């Protein structure tokens, strides 16, 4: 599987002839090199309705015919805009072809840029091509992350930007609860307010946990 960091909390996963995009915030991003025409997902998975996560969903899913997979409220919002959508909610799992999607709790909020209610914010566990990946969405640290790690995680994508989400210290505690094999930090440096030393975070993860940690610049990829 190839994972491409799209910038902010945006991720593209490609494996087994399936492309999944999570929280694509591209055109509003100040410095990602990714362009919308590089994305042709089968699924667009959205953790919550904030503009930096809903992002370019309408353009991307409209162009590729992808199914928007999210909370009932976000799926309904997508359907109202003529997009294919599939409504789920926290704790539920569903399999879409080669990809299993299960939503988890997240401690945050969720409303669209136009003020529409976005339901509860969520994180998501994706299983694709034998890999189990947790994208935390925007969240505070919470002890039930222990339950999310149960069964093993090949990769945890964790916000470290602070202010709106966990900062580096709480994200490090999240790694201790989740016990993933690898960690990639996200949701930092996009704006001045979210400025963080991701390299220092990565060395703290390596020295204090058994996880590997990779810092990706927007547009960079890793193979899983
Ligand atoms: Ni948010
Ligand atoms: Mn956010």
């Amino acid at each position: 599987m190839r994972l491409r960091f799209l910038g902010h909390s945006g991720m593209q996963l490609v494996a087994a002839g399936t492309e999944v995009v999570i929280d694509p915030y591209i055109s509003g991003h100040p410095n990602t090199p990714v362009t919308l025409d590089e994305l042709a997902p089968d699924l667009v998975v959205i953790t919550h309705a904030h503009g930096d996560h809903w992002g370019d969903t309408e353009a991307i899913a409209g162009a590729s015919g992808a199914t928007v997979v999210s909370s009932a409220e976000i799926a309904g919002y997508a359907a109202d805009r003529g997009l294919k959508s599939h409504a789920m909610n926290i704790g539920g799992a569903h399999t879409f072809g080669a990809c299993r999607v299960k939503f988890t709790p997240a401690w945050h909020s969720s409303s669209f840029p136009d003020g529409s209610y976005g339901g509860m914010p969520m994180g998501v566990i994706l299983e694709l091509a034998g890999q189990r990946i947790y994208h935390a969405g925007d969240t505070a640290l919470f002890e039930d992350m222990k339950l999310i790690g149960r069964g093993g995680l090949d990769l945890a994508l964790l916000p470290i930007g602070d202010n709106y989400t966990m900062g580096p210290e709480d994200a490090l505690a999240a790694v201790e609860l989740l016990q993933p094999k690898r960690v990639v930090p996200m949701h930092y440096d996009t704006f001045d307010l979210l400025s963080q030393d991701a390299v220092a975070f990565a060395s703290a993860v390596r020295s204090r946990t058994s996880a590997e940690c990779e810092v990706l610049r927007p547009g960079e990829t890793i193979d899983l």
Side-chain angles (χ1 to χ4, degrees), residues 98-117:
C99 185
R100 184 172 187 263
V101 178
K102 181 175 183 179
F103 283 107
T104 72
W107 278 102
H108 192 64
S109 61
S110 178
S111 53
F112 285 95
D114 65 9
S116 306
Y117 176 57

Side-chain angles (χ1 to χ4, degrees), residues 7-195:
H8 203 51
S9 294
M11 303 288 162
Q12 178 196 42
L13 305 170
V14 183
T18 301
E19 178 176 335
V20 180
V21 163
I22 309 170
D23 289 2
Y25 176 61
I26 313 288
S27 58
H29 194 289
N31 55 33
T32 183
V34 177
T35 55
L36 294 185
D37 58 8
E38 296 170 74
L39 307 173
D42 303 289
L43 302 178
V44 179
V45 176
I46 303 298
T47 61
H48 65 292
H50 289 159
D52 57 322
H53 298 259
W54 170 257
D56 297 294
T57 296
E58 203 169 332
I60 294 165
S64 76
T67 302
V68 177
V69 179
S70 193
S71 65
E73 292 80 4
I74 293 173
Y77 187 94
D80 287 347
R81 278 147 190 83
L83 305 176
K84 261 187 262 171
S85 70
H86 182 104
M88 297 178 65
N89 217 319
I90 295 167
H94 187 78
T95 301
F96 303 84
C99 185
R100 184 172 187 263
V101 178
K102 181 175 183 179
F103 283 107
T104 72
W107 278 102
H108 192 64
S109 61
S110 178
S111 53
F112 285 95
D114 65 9
S116 306
Y117 176 57
M120 293 287 280
M122 306 185 293
V124 65
I125 300 168
L126 293 179
E127 290 177 35
L128 178 64
Q131 299 288 312
R132 201 148 180 273
I133 297 169
Y134 170 52
H135 184 297
D138 280 0
T139 187
L141 173 65
F142 54 99
E143 195 167 18
D144 283 354
M145 284 179 173
K146 261 193 263 184
L147 300 176
I148 294 169
R150 198 172 52 176
L153 295 172
D154 295 292
L155 174 67
L157 302 160
L158 301 177
I160 65 162
D162 222 337
N163 193 79
Y164 301 113
T165 68
M166 296 190 284
E169 239 177 81
D170 283 355
L172 184 59
V175 176
E176 287 167 341
L177 293 169
L178 293 160
Q179 299 194 8
K181 289 186 190 149
R182 295 166 93 170
V183 176
V184 169
M186 62 180 185
H187 210 272
Y188 67 94
D189 282 3
T190 316
F191 316 108
D192 288 345
L193 182 61
L194 304 183
S195 180

Side-chain angles (χ1 to χ4, degrees), residues 3-5 11 184-185 188 214-222:
L3 176 145
R4 189 173 191 208
F5 179 45
M11 303 288 162
V184 169
Y188 67 94
E214 271 135 316
V215 174
L216 300 179
R217 278 180 305 231
E220 287 188 335
T221 62
I222 52 169

